[in-house]
Coordinates of all heavy atoms in Angstrom, one line a residue:
G226 N 4.8 -39.6 19.4 CA 4.0 -40.8 18.9 C 4.1 -40.8 17.4 O 5.2 -40.8 16.8
D227 N 2.9 -40.7 16.7 CA 2.9 -40.7 15.3 C 2.9 -39.3 14.7 O 2.7 -39.1 13.5 CB 1.7 -41.5 14.8 CG 1.8 -43.0 15.1 OD1 2.9 -43.5 15.2 OD2 0.7 -43.6 15.2
T228 N 3.0 -38.3 15.6 CA 2.8 -36.9 15.1 C 4.2 -36.3 14.9 O 5.1 -36.4 15.7 CB 2.1 -36.1 16.1 OG1 0.8 -36.6 16.3 CG2 1.9 -34.6 15.7
L229 N 4.4 -35.7 13.7 CA 5.6 -35.0 13.4 C 5.5 -33.6 13.9 O 4.5 -32.9 13.7 CB 5.8 -34.9 11.9 CG 7.1 -34.3 11.3 CD1 8.3 -35.1 11.8 CD2 7.0 -34.4 9.8
V230 N 6.4 -33.2 14.8 CA 6.3 -31.9 15.5 C 7.5 -31.0 15.1 O 8.7 -31.4 15.2 CB 6.3 -32.1 17.0 CG1 6.1 -30.8 17.7 CG2 5.3 -33.2 17.4
F231 N 7.2 -29.8 14.7 CA 8.2 -28.8 14.4 C 8.2 -27.8 15.5 O 7.1 -27.2 15.9 CB 7.8 -28.1 13.0 CG 7.8 -29.0 11.9 CD1 6.6 -29.6 11.5 CD2 8.9 -29.4 11.2 CE1 6.5 -30.5 10.4 CE2 8.9 -30.3 10.1 CZ 7.7 -30.8 9.7
V232 N 9.3 -27.6 16.1 CA 9.4 -26.8 17.4 C 10.3 -25.6 17.2 O 11.4 -25.7 16.8 CB 9.9 -27.7 18.5 CG1 9.9 -26.9 19.9 CG2 9.2 -29.0 18.7
E233 N 9.7 -24.4 17.6 CA 10.4 -23.2 17.6 C 10.8 -22.9 19.1 O 10.0 -23.0 20.0 CB 9.6 -22.0 17.1 CG 10.2 -20.7 17.2 CD 11.5 -20.5 16.3 OE1 11.8 -21.3 15.5 OE2 12.1 -19.4 16.5
V234 N 12.1 -22.6 19.3 CA 12.6 -22.3 20.7 C 13.0 -20.9 20.8 O 13.7 -20.3 19.9 CB 13.8 -23.2 21.0 CG1 14.3 -22.9 22.4 CG2 13.4 -24.7 20.9
K235 N 12.5 -20.2 21.8 CA 12.8 -18.8 22.1 C 13.3 -18.7 23.5 O 12.7 -19.2 24.4 CB 11.6 -17.8 21.9 CG 11.3 -17.6 20.4 CD 12.4 -16.9 19.7 CE 12.1 -16.7 18.2 NZ 13.2 -16.1 17.5
Y236 N 14.3 -17.9 23.7 CA 14.9 -17.7 25.1 C 15.0 -16.2 25.4 O 15.3 -15.4 24.6 CB 16.3 -18.3 25.1 CG 17.1 -17.9 26.3 CD1 16.8 -18.5 27.5 CD2 18.1 -17.0 26.2 CE1 17.6 -18.1 28.7 CE2 18.9 -16.6 27.3 CZ 18.6 -17.2 28.6 OH 19.3 -16.8 29.7
R237 N 14.7 -16.0 26.7 CA 14.9 -14.6 27.3 C 15.6 -14.9 28.7 O 15.1 -15.7 29.4 CB 13.6 -13.9 27.5 CG 12.9 -13.5 26.2 CD 13.6 -12.4 25.5 NE 12.9 -12.0 24.3 CZ 13.1 -12.5 23.1 NH1 14.0 -13.4 22.9 NH2 12.4 -12.1 22.0
K238 N 16.6 -14.1 29.0 CA 17.2 -14.2 30.3 C 16.3 -13.8 31.4 O 16.2 -14.4 32.4 CB 18.5 -13.3 30.3 CG 19.3 -13.4 31.5 CD 20.7 -12.8 31.4 CE 20.7 -11.4 30.9 NZ 22.0 -10.8 30.9
S239 N 15.4 -12.8 31.1 CA 14.5 -12.3 32.1 C 13.3 -11.8 31.3 O 13.3 -11.7 30.1 CB 15.1 -11.2 33.0 OG 15.2 -10.0 32.2
G240 N 12.3 -11.3 32.1 CA 11.1 -10.8 31.4 C 11.2 -9.4 30.9 O 10.3 -8.8 30.4
D241 N 12.4 -8.8 31.1 CA 12.6 -7.4 30.7 C 12.3 -7.2 29.2 O 11.8 -6.1 28.8 CB 14.0 -6.9 31.0 CG 14.3 -6.9 32.5 OD1 13.3 -7.0 33.3 OD2 15.5 -6.8 32.9
A242 N 12.7 -8.1 28.4 CA 12.5 -8.0 27.0 C 11.2 -8.6 26.5 O 11.0 -8.8 25.3 CB 13.7 -8.7 26.2
G243 N 10.3 -8.9 27.5 CA 9.0 -9.5 27.1 C 9.1 -11.1 27.2 O 10.1 -11.7 27.4
D244 N 7.9 -11.6 27.0 CA 7.8 -13.1 27.0 C 8.4 -13.7 25.8 O 8.2 -13.2 24.7 CB 6.3 -13.4 27.1 CG 6.0 -14.9 27.2 OD1 6.5 -15.7 26.4 OD2 5.4 -15.3 28.2
P245 N 9.2 -14.7 25.9 CA 9.9 -15.3 24.8 C 8.9 -15.8 23.7 O 9.2 -15.7 22.5 CB 10.7 -16.4 25.3 CG 10.2 -16.7 26.7 CD 9.6 -15.4 27.2
L246 N 7.8 -16.3 24.1 CA 6.8 -16.8 23.1 C 6.2 -15.7 22.3 O 5.8 -16.0 21.1 CB 5.7 -17.6 23.9 CG 6.2 -18.9 24.6 CD1 5.1 -19.5 25.4 CD2 6.7 -19.9 23.6
E247 N 6.2 -14.5 22.8 CA 5.7 -13.3 22.0 C 6.6 -13.0 20.8 O 6.1 -12.4 19.8 CB 5.5 -12.1 22.8 CG 4.4 -12.2 23.9 CD 4.4 -11.0 24.8 OE1 5.3 -10.2 24.8 OE2 3.5 -11.0 25.7
A248 N 7.8 -13.5 20.8 CA 8.7 -13.3 19.7 C 8.5 -14.2 18.5 O 9.1 -14.0 17.4 CB 10.2 -13.5 20.2
I249 N 7.5 -15.1 18.6 CA 7.2 -15.9 17.5 C 6.0 -15.3 16.7 O 4.9 -15.6 16.9 CB 6.8 -17.4 17.9 CG1 7.9 -18.0 18.8 CG2 6.5 -18.3 16.7 CD1 7.6 -19.3 19.5
T250 N 6.4 -14.3 15.9 CA 5.5 -13.5 15.2 C 4.8 -14.3 14.0 O 5.3 -15.4 13.7 CB 6.2 -12.3 14.5 OG1 7.2 -12.8 13.6 CG2 6.9 -11.4 15.6
L251 N 3.8 -13.7 13.4 CA 3.1 -14.3 12.3 C 4.1 -14.5 11.2 O 4.0 -15.6 10.5 CB 1.9 -13.4 11.9 CG 1.0 -14.0 10.8 CD1 0.4 -15.4 11.3 CD2 -0.1 -13.0 10.5
N252 N 4.9 -13.6 10.9 CA 5.9 -13.7 9.8 C 6.8 -14.9 10.1 O 7.2 -15.6 9.2 CB 6.7 -12.4 9.7 CG 7.4 -12.3 8.4 OD1 7.0 -12.9 7.4 ND2 8.5 -11.6 8.4
K253 N 7.3 -15.0 11.4 CA 8.1 -16.1 11.8 C 7.4 -17.4 11.6 O 8.0 -18.4 11.1 CB 8.6 -15.9 13.2 CG 9.5 -17.0 13.8 CD 10.9 -16.8 13.3 CE 11.8 -17.8 14.0 NZ 13.1 -17.8 13.4
Q254 N 6.1 -17.5 12.0 CA 5.3 -18.7 11.8 C 5.2 -19.1 10.4 O 5.4 -20.3 10.0 CB 3.9 -18.5 12.4 CG 3.9 -18.3 13.9 CD 2.5 -17.9 14.4 OE1 1.5 -18.1 13.7 NE2 2.5 -17.2 15.5
R255 N 5.0 -18.1 9.5 CA 5.0 -18.4 8.0 C 6.3 -19.0 7.5 O 6.3 -20.0 6.8 CB 4.7 -17.1 7.2 CG 3.3 -16.8 7.2 CD 3.0 -15.7 6.2 NE 1.6 -15.3 6.2 CZ 1.1 -14.2 6.8 NH1 2.0 -13.3 7.4 NH2 -0.1 -13.9 6.9
R256 N 7.4 -18.4 8.0 CA 8.7 -19.0 7.6 C 8.9 -20.4 8.1 O 9.5 -21.2 7.4 CB 9.8 -18.0 8.0 CG 9.9 -16.7 7.2 CD 11.2 -16.0 7.3 NE 11.7 -15.8 8.7 CZ 11.4 -14.8 9.5 NH1 10.6 -13.9 9.1 NH2 11.8 -14.7 10.7
I257 N 8.5 -20.7 9.3 CA 8.7 -22.0 9.9 C 7.8 -23.0 9.1 O 8.2 -24.1 8.7 CB 8.3 -22.0 11.4 CG1 9.3 -21.2 12.2 CG2 8.1 -23.4 11.9 CD1 8.8 -20.9 13.6
C258 N 6.6 -22.6 8.7 CA 5.7 -23.4 7.9 C 6.3 -23.7 6.6 O 6.2 -24.9 6.1 CB 4.3 -22.8 7.8 SG 3.4 -22.8 9.4
K259 N 6.9 -22.7 5.9 CA 7.5 -23.0 4.6 C 8.7 -23.9 4.8 O 8.9 -24.8 3.9 CB 8.1 -21.6 4.1 CG 7.2 -21.0 3.1 CD 7.9 -19.8 2.5 CE 6.8 -19.0 1.7 NZ 7.2 -17.6 1.6
A260 N 9.5 -23.8 5.8 CA 10.6 -24.7 6.0 C 10.1 -26.1 6.3 O 10.7 -27.1 5.8 CB 11.5 -24.2 7.2
A261 N 9.0 -26.2 7.0 CA 8.4 -27.5 7.3 C 8.0 -28.2 6.0 O 8.2 -29.4 5.8 CB 7.2 -27.4 8.3
L262 N 7.4 -27.4 5.1 CA 7.0 -28.0 3.8 C 8.2 -28.5 3.0 O 8.2 -29.5 2.4 CB 6.2 -26.9 3.0 CG 5.4 -27.4 1.9 CD1 4.4 -28.5 2.3 CD2 4.6 -26.2 1.2
F263 N 9.3 -27.7 3.0 CA 10.5 -28.1 2.4 C 11.0 -29.4 3.0 O 11.4 -30.4 2.3 CB 11.6 -27.1 2.5 CG 11.6 -26.1 1.4 CD1 11.0 -24.8 1.6 CD2 12.3 -26.3 0.3 CE1 11.0 -23.9 0.6 CE2 12.4 -25.4 -0.8 CZ 11.7 -24.2 -0.6
Y264 N 11.0 -29.5 4.3 CA 11.4 -30.7 5.0 C 10.6 -31.9 4.6 O 11.1 -33.0 4.2 CB 11.4 -30.5 6.5 CG 11.7 -31.7 7.3 CD1 13.1 -32.1 7.6 CD2 10.7 -32.6 7.8 CE1 13.4 -33.2 8.2 CE2 11.1 -33.8 8.5 CZ 12.4 -34.1 8.7 OH 12.7 -35.2 9.4
M265 N 9.3 -31.8 4.6 CA 8.4 -32.9 4.2 C 8.6 -33.3 2.8 O 8.6 -34.5 2.5 CB 6.9 -32.5 4.5 CG 6.7 -32.5 6.0 SD 5.0 -32.2 6.5 CE 4.8 -30.4 6.1
N266 N 8.8 -32.3 1.9 CA 9.0 -32.6 0.5 C 10.3 -33.4 0.4 O 10.4 -34.4 -0.3 CB 9.1 -31.4 -0.4 CG 7.7 -30.8 -0.7 OD1 6.7 -31.5 -0.6 ND2 7.7 -29.5 -0.9
Q267 N 11.4 -33.0 1.1 CA 12.7 -33.6 1.0 C 12.6 -35.0 1.5 O 13.3 -35.9 1.0 CB 13.6 -32.8 1.9 CG 15.1 -33.2 1.8 CD 15.9 -32.3 2.6 OE1 15.6 -32.0 3.8 NE2 17.0 -31.8 2.1
K268 N 11.8 -35.3 2.6 CA 11.7 -36.6 3.2 C 10.5 -37.4 2.6 O 10.2 -38.5 3.1 CB 11.5 -36.5 4.7 CG 12.6 -35.7 5.4 CD 13.9 -36.4 5.4 CE 15.0 -35.7 6.1 NZ 16.3 -36.3 6.1
K269 N 9.9 -36.9 1.6 CA 8.8 -37.6 0.9 C 7.6 -37.9 1.8 O 7.1 -39.0 1.8 CB 9.3 -38.9 0.2 CG 10.5 -38.7 -0.6 CD 10.2 -38.7 -2.1 CE 11.4 -38.7 -3.0 NZ 12.1 -37.5 -3.1
I270 N 7.3 -36.9 2.7 CA 6.2 -37.0 3.6 C 5.0 -36.2 3.0 O 5.2 -35.0 2.7 CB 6.5 -36.5 5.0 CG1 7.7 -37.3 5.6 CG2 5.3 -36.4 5.9 CD1 8.3 -36.7 6.8
N271 N 3.9 -36.8 2.8 CA 2.7 -36.1 2.3 C 2.1 -35.3 3.4 O 1.6 -35.9 4.4 CB 1.7 -37.0 1.7 CG 0.5 -36.4 1.1 OD1 0.2 -35.2 1.4 ND2 -0.1 -37.0 0.1

């Protein structure tokens, strides 16, 4: 709709290595947020 959505995708073949969503650590979240800010600045989105 009117919402800009930044999506992180994680894959695991099986549950042996844990849930794929658990791999989105706080550090990873921070990096994604920084990249999102760069994107919005580049596209002139406040």
Side-chain angles (χ1 to χ4, degrees):
D227 291 334
T228 302
L229 185 60
V230 185
F231 300 95
V232 185
E233 175 66 9
V234 179
K235 286 293 179 188
Y236 167 74
R237 296 285 182 267
K238 186 166 48 176
S239 70
D241 296 347
D244 186 300
L246 295 172
E247 291 173 355
I249 306 172
T250 63
L251 186 58
N252 197 29
K253 179 79 173 168
Q254 293 171 24
R255 279 194 183 101
R256 287 198 311 272
I257 292 166
C258 290
K259 262 188 193 153
L262 195 56
F263 270 95
Y264 176 83
M265 289 184 285
N266 283 337
Q267 189 180 47
K268 301 295 181 182
K269 310 257 185 288
I270 297 168
N271 182 336

